Amino acid sequence: MAVLDKDKSFVLVVLGKNWVEYPPKDPPAGWKLELSRDSKVTALAAGVLAESISEIKKVIFVTGHTDGQAWPTEAEEMQRYAAQYFPVLRGDKVICETESIDTAQGAEKVRTILAGYGLLDETVILLTVGYHCKRALRVHKNFGFKNVICHKSEKVLAESFNSANAKRVCWRALKDYRNYSLLRKFKKWLEEIILRVVLIFDPYGRRLRCVTNHTRHQK
């Protein structure tokens, strides 16, 4: 993890990465949504950073109803999950962006939020899992973020066990994340490569959103 300039202040933008599975058409009694391992790692890493970097002015959890309007948002579930272990994520410093359904729309919504708080000139720390970092960074730059860096969630957890709260839950989440199958890891990296190519022709993700509107239960 890069050493941050303590003379600056920051905004931490925490990117959601889906669920273990989407809701079935007719959920059985007691069925519940569960954050993916990716989202859990990122949510906990947000707690680690918010606890250790006092210069963070705002923490923004990003991503809305990717599971359909009848179900919770990714942002709110990530905040709720991490706040169990990190009290710093329970206060007014924390915002949940609940309208976006993909990375590009999230960047657009976050820019609007930062403008509303007069924070557009602050350095933005993007927090997401490693395979998503390059695309997330490129998307945010496409939307005019000039002072933006990206941290890998799993790396934040791996480097923080001497000081992090809830050491056991962080280690368990990191271990689960590392135990993804090689096939799944390959598919995710391949998907990201394809989506980065798509960005060349669709820098603001508007054409791609026609697809995500359907795959993420928006229509």
Side-chain angles (χ1 to χ4, degrees):
M1 185 170 63
V3 177
L4 300 177
D5 184 348
K6 297 299 184 178
D7 292 329
K8 294 183 178 181
S9 55
F10 305 93
V11 174
L12 180 61
V13 176
V14 187
L15 304 182
K17 284 304 290 178
N18 300 318
W19 311 92
V20 171
E21 62 177 327
Y22 286 113
K25 186 175 181 180
D26 296 306
W31 190 91
K32 293 183 179 180
L33 275 173
E34 183 180 354
L35 291 169
S36 68
R37 301 178 201 178
D38 313 57
S39 289
K40 287 181 177 179
V41 164
T42 298
L44 293 172
V48 170
L49 290 182
E51 185 180 66
S52 60
I53 303 173
S54 60
E55 293 82 5
I56 291 176
K57 287 188 173 181
K58 291 288 182 184
V59 179
I60 307 176
F61 286 88
V62 181
T63 311
H65 293 277
T66 55
D67 44 8
Q69 295 297 317
W71 297 89
T73 68
E74 288 185 39
E76 290 168 321
E77 285 298 294
M78 290 175 73
Q79 184 273 332
R80 189 176 298 117
Y81 170 71
Q84 298 176 79
Y85 311 105
F86 294 94
V88 69
L89 295 178
R90 299 173 191 168
D92 294 339
K93 181 187 288 189
V94 180
I95 301 169
C96 288
E97 181 286 303
T98 60
E99 297 180 17
S100 65
I101 61 165
D102 55 35
T103 304
Q105 192 174 33
E108 186 177 14
K109 298 295 183 182
V110 167
R111 185 172 175 81
T112 300
I113 291 171
L114 294 184
Y117 281 96
L119 296 172
L120 277 176
D121 293 331
E122 303 298 332
T123 299
V124 171
I125 304 171
L126 296 179
L127 184 62
T128 188
V129 285
Y131 65 80
H132 186 221
C133 275
K134 285 185 180 180
R135 181 166 63 93
L137 192 59
R138 186 179 300 177
V139 165
H140 283 75
K141 287 182 177 180
N142 287 349
F143 276 92
F145 288 78
K146 295 179 181 178
N147 302 315
V148 58
I149 57 179
C150 195
H151 282 338
K152 298 178 181 179
S153 309
E154 65 272 26
K155 190 173 182 180
V156 170
L157 288 193
E159 293 180 356
S160 67
F161 290 128
N162 289 332
S163 58
N165 248 341
K167 179 177 177 179
R168 185 175 299 174
V169 72
C170 289
W171 171 246
R172 186 166 62 245
L174 181 61
K175 182 179 179 181
D176 287 345
Y177 178 78
R178 287 173 169 172
N179 281 340
Y180 272 129
S181 69
L182 289 176
L183 178 60
R184 189 265 182 191
K185 292 176 182 177
F186 173 76
K187 286 181 177 178
K188 282 296 179 183
W189 280 107
L190 181 60
E191 178 182 295
E192 286 296 315
I193 291 170
I194 293 170
L195 290 173
R196 291 203 298 271
V197 172
V198 171
L199 275 179
I200 298 172
F201 308 99
D202 186 21
Y204 302 107
R206 287 163 187 158
R207 295 182 183 88
L208 184 61
R209 196 161 305 134
C210 294
V211 177
T212 53
N213 275 329
H214 289 280
T215 59
R216 295 186 171 178
H217 305 271
Q218 304 302 305
K219 293 183 178 181

